[in-house]
Amino acid sequence: MSKRLPQRGGAERPVGEPSGAAPATGTPGDGTAAATGPAGPLPHWTNPLRDQGDRRLPPVAGPCGLVVFGVTGDLSRKKLMPAVYDLANRGLLPPGFSLVGFARRDWADEDFSQIVYEAVKEHARTPFREEVWRQLADGMRFVPGDFSDDTAFKQLRHAVEDLDAARGTSGNYAFYLSVPPKFFPAVVRQLKKHGLANAPEGSWRRAVIEKPFGRDLASAHELNAVVHEVFGPDQVFRIDHYLGKETVQNILALRFANTMFEPIWNRSFVDHVQITMAEDIGIGGRAGYYDGIGAARDVIQNHLLQLLALTAMEEPASFDAQSLLAEKLKVLKAVRGPADLGRDTVRGQYAAGWQGGEQVVGYLEEDGIDPGSVTDTYAAVKLEIDNRRWAGVPFYLRTGKRLGRRVTEIAVVLQRAPHSPFDTEATEELGRNAIVIRVQPDEGVTVRFGSKVPGTSMEIRDVTMDFAYGESFTESSPEAYERLILDVLLGDANLFPRHQEVEESWKILDPIEEYWAAHGRPAPYASGGWGPEEADEMLARDGRSWRRP
């Protein structure tokens, strides 16, 4: 490559060093140990206010490093590398933090640093600071090779050992598998073969896996078995980036930190729940991945069923990973799929149409798509939960591409008042009360209720009360990958689905996929609309209708 930046040399102060802070002490591997380098200890800074119990201040990772496989992909360039920089810029990474890239490129360390630099400049959320960049770049290394190359993995081990000595990472490393699932077995077995999965005494090693976690129950079970040959369950972090979004975490706060919502969060007051993830884009350059996977496997099995679990779960004993897992598992095990798969499930495929003022092609005309493909780009299902809280309350889940707008929301729609003293004419424009949690793009919560229209007559219409993150808090929400990467480095598994959840989700979806595979083609729908007519008919049979966000 022709471009070069000065990569070596430390910043004037370590990344994240608060003014006047003192170095922390601790035992190796517990996340608080002081890092060591060639010239002696590198200070690991903590915030004394947080040490005194001020929870407003986020925790800082201890000495550690991150190894990213598939570092040349879009996910790494657009999300992972910028997230690492943003964490460093916020002072949440240790001064000796190290980043190792592994990919099939004939690059030197400086080439890799240049690629990361360009990704950070283009996609980072926080302002660029030269001193932060220099400190981060000084700990970057690149290892060229493919996943069957023993020599490359030997070189990776040497790189990790060198960074332990030079940067004081204390043997603590997370291995991020930003690669297709078919490569997971090869990577984890190479890590085991070359001793990279085994942490030195007092240190830790962790594996981070991107979805999809299999394509059905059998493949998910096989994948989990392969990964757990090398890493224990507590060492495996399955990334579902939706769980890192502030508004998803706010579901728990909304329900369990307030007394106004939880008393009505049950079958006595809730009519139904709608969970929507709509995208206004097509498949873009993802034809190779998406065709044969489809909307249900890509989104419902993970994102939407996780949102359902958080919405429907009972209050956990605490918010540690095991307590959250226990309650989410109870809900997923209680989910009952449609009794009539023909009536209560819909799959669709976008056709040509207009999107954002431009004419777009249909799915079958996209580059790389087989003209006879039956892959679903839209999926809607009706589920119920067999427990005392939710018996008889339908949960409608839908997702699709080329829909009217990009939006993800959870709408808890309440029952109508059992008796109304108002004339029918007074309430003819009154809909159902609803609590809507907006996950993206306008993060917040909306409560919809009826209010009298000003004037001499009694006329009632829907109004809304809105909470928006951007208006209520001065600090912008961090990207999901910032939160999740930091949690991996801290060993906090709260926001990561465990293998039991993955397998229970496939048990819900597999019968639906099997039915679809045996029954014809997906229903076509025009790009820019809200999906096939069959999806509207599915709710109409229940006397309900989809929300139009």
Side-chain angles (χ1 to χ4, degrees):
M1 298 178 65
S2 59
K3 292 187 285 186
R4 289 288 188 273
L5 292 175
Q7 303 298 335
R8 298 291 179 253
E12 295 181 2
R13 65 176 178 85
V15 178
E17 176 183 344
S19 176
T25 60
T27 57
D30 69 353
T32 62
T36 58
L42 293 170
H44 165 52
W45 301 99
T46 62
N47 195 308
L49 292 177
R50 183 176 178 86
D51 293 342
Q52 294 167 15
D54 192 337
R55 302 299 297 178
R56 295 172 298 176
L57 301 169
V60 179
C64 61
L66 180 67
V67 178
V68 181
F69 294 94
V71 76
T72 57
D74 274 358
L75 175 66
S76 178
R77 183 174 61 86
K78 294 179 180 179
K79 297 294 184 180
L80 304 186
M81 299 301 100
V84 167
Y85 171 81
D86 289 331
L87 287 172
N89 209 11
R90 294 166 59 203
L92 302 181
L93 297 181
F97 178 80
S98 299
L99 178 65
V100 182
F102 187 107
R104 289 182 296 180
R105 293 288 191 279
D106 187 18
W107 288 350
D109 293 343
E110 290 80 5
D111 298 320
F112 175 52
S113 295
Q114 179 68 35
I115 295 299
V116 178
Y117 174 84
E118 291 169 358
V120 165
K121 291 286 283 187
E122 184 176 358
H123 299 290
R125 181 179 65 89
T126 59
F128 185 81
R129 292 195 293 153
E130 186 64 32
E131 68 274 18
V132 172
W133 169 253
R134 289 179 54 131
Q135 178 73 14
L136 193 59
D138 199 43
M140 291 183 188
R141 303 290 186 271
F142 183 79
V143 177
D146 61 43
F147 304 138
S148 61
D149 186 351
D150 285 340
T151 301
F153 277 84
K154 289 177 183 176
Q155 185 180 347
L156 176 60
R157 178 167 182 169
H158 291 319
V160 166
E161 291 170 348
D162 290 346
L163 287 167
D164 276 345
R167 302 281 292 176
T169 50
S170 297
N172 299 321
Y173 280 88
F175 300 98
Y176 200 120
L177 277 64
S178 179
V179 298
K182 64 182 179 181
F183 295 120
F184 290 174
V187 175
V188 297
R189 285 169 177 156
Q190 286 281 43
L191 292 174
K192 180 180 181 179
K193 179 179 180 180
H194 294 279
L196 286 157
N198 302 322
E201 185 177 356
S203 302
W204 52 258
R205 297 290 162 92
R206 295 170 186 144
V208 186
I209 299 176
E210 275 282 346
K211 76 174 186 71
F213 313 122
R215 59 172 288 116
D216 53 24
L217 177 60
S219 60
H221 186 74
E222 181 181 352
L223 177 60
N224 286 329
V226 169
V227 173
H228 289 158
E229 286 177 10
V230 180
F231 295 96
D234 292 339
Q235 294 176 280
V236 180
F237 291 71
R238 294 167 182 80
I239 289 275
D240 183 338
H241 69 273
Y242 259 61
L243 300 186
K245 293 181 179 291
E246 286 288 341
T247 38
V248 172
Q249 299 165 52
N250 196 40
I251 297 171
L252 301 177
L254 184 80
R255 291 187 56 192
F256 303 128
N258 300 290
T259 57
M260 66 174 68
F261 297 116
E262 191 63 11
I264 62 171
W265 212 266
N266 56 63
R267 65 182 303 273
S268 298
F269 296 91
V270 175
D271 179 78
H272 69 280
V273 178
Q274 294 185 24
I275 303 179
T276 297
M277 178 183 166
E279 297 180 275
D280 56 3
I281 59 172
I283 59 167
R286 300 176 71 213
Y289 161 75
Y290 196 88
D291 199 39
I293 298 294
R297 287 191 177 103
D298 189 41
V299 175
I300 289 181
Q301 183 273 332
N302 40 74
H303 299 330
L304 297 196
L305 284 176
Q306 282 290 318
L307 294 181
L308 178 149
L310 291 170
T311 302
M313 64 185 273
E314 298 297 326
E315 181 178 353
S318 67
F319 287 111
D320 63 83
Q322 287 300 324
S323 298
L324 286 170
L325 169 64
E327 297 304 334
K328 286 198 289 180
L329 266 181
K330 287 180 187 177
V331 170
L332 292 173
K333 286 176 179 291
V335 170
R336 177 164 53 85
D340 188 333
L341 291 166
R343 286 172 53 90
D344 293 333
T345 71
V346 175
R347 61 174 176 157
Q349 193 179 78
Y350 65 80
W354 290 87
Q355 190 95 50
E358 296 182 2
Q359 193 163 16
V360 295
V361 300
Y363 180 76
L364 298 180
E365 289 78 52
E366 297 275 16
D367 291 340
I369 297 300
D370 182 345
S373 173
V374 293
T375 297
D376 49 292
T377 64
Y378 177 98
V381 300
K382 173 186 174 182
L383 303 174
E384 295 196 9
I385 299 175
D386 284 340
N387 63 20
R388 180 166 299 208
R389 180 186 287 264
W390 296 112
V393 177
F395 282 69
Y396 299 102
L397 280 56
R398 63 171 169 170
T399 182
K401 292 186 176 295
R402 290 288 185 209
L403 297 182
R405 59 168 297 198
R406 172 177 172 261
V407 62
T408 300
E409 67 172 33
I410 302 162
V412 179
V413 183
L414 303 179
Q415 298 174 13
R416 295 191 184 278
H419 170 71
S420 174
F422 304 103
D423 294 336
T424 303
E425 292 77 11
T427 59
E428 61 183 355
E429 295 187 41
L430 182 64
R432 294 180 186 268
N433 296 162
I435 302 164
V436 182
I437 301 167
R438 302 190 306 276
V439 177
Q440 66 175 12
D442 305 315
E443 296 92 342
V445 179
T446 294
V447 178
R448 186 180 70 187
F449 58 96
S451 179
K452 180 183 177 302
V453 178
T456 56
S457 62
M458 176 60 75
E459 182 182 358
I460 302 173
R461 293 184 188 171
D462 285 330
V463 296
T464 59
M465 286 195 305
D466 288 317
F467 151 67
Y469 268 87
E471 296 176 2
S472 298
F473 298 105
T474 56
E475 182 179 356
S476 61
S477 298
E479 285 288 329
Y481 279 98
E482 288 179 54
R483 171 67 188 269
L484 296 174
I485 290 173
L486 180 60
D487 281 354
V488 169
L489 301 179
L490 293 168
D492 184 348
N494 285 8
L495 301 179
F496 298 85
R498 295 299 182 96
H499 68 276
Q500 301 99 315
E501 296 173 69
V502 172
E503 294 182 5
E504 288 298 331
S505 297
W506 281 120
K507 289 178 184 178
I508 297 167
L509 187 61
D510 273 1
I512 298 171
E513 289 285 356
E514 291 166 5
Y515 175 85
W516 287 348
H519 289 79
R521 299 187 57 83
Y525 62 96
S527 293
W530 281 100
E533 294 179 1
E534 288 84 345
D536 294 328
E537 293 168 1
M538 182 178 83
L539 264 70
R541 284 193 291 268
D542 293 344
R544 302 181 176 100
S545 60
W546 291 109
R547 284 174 45 82
R548 292 291 185 261

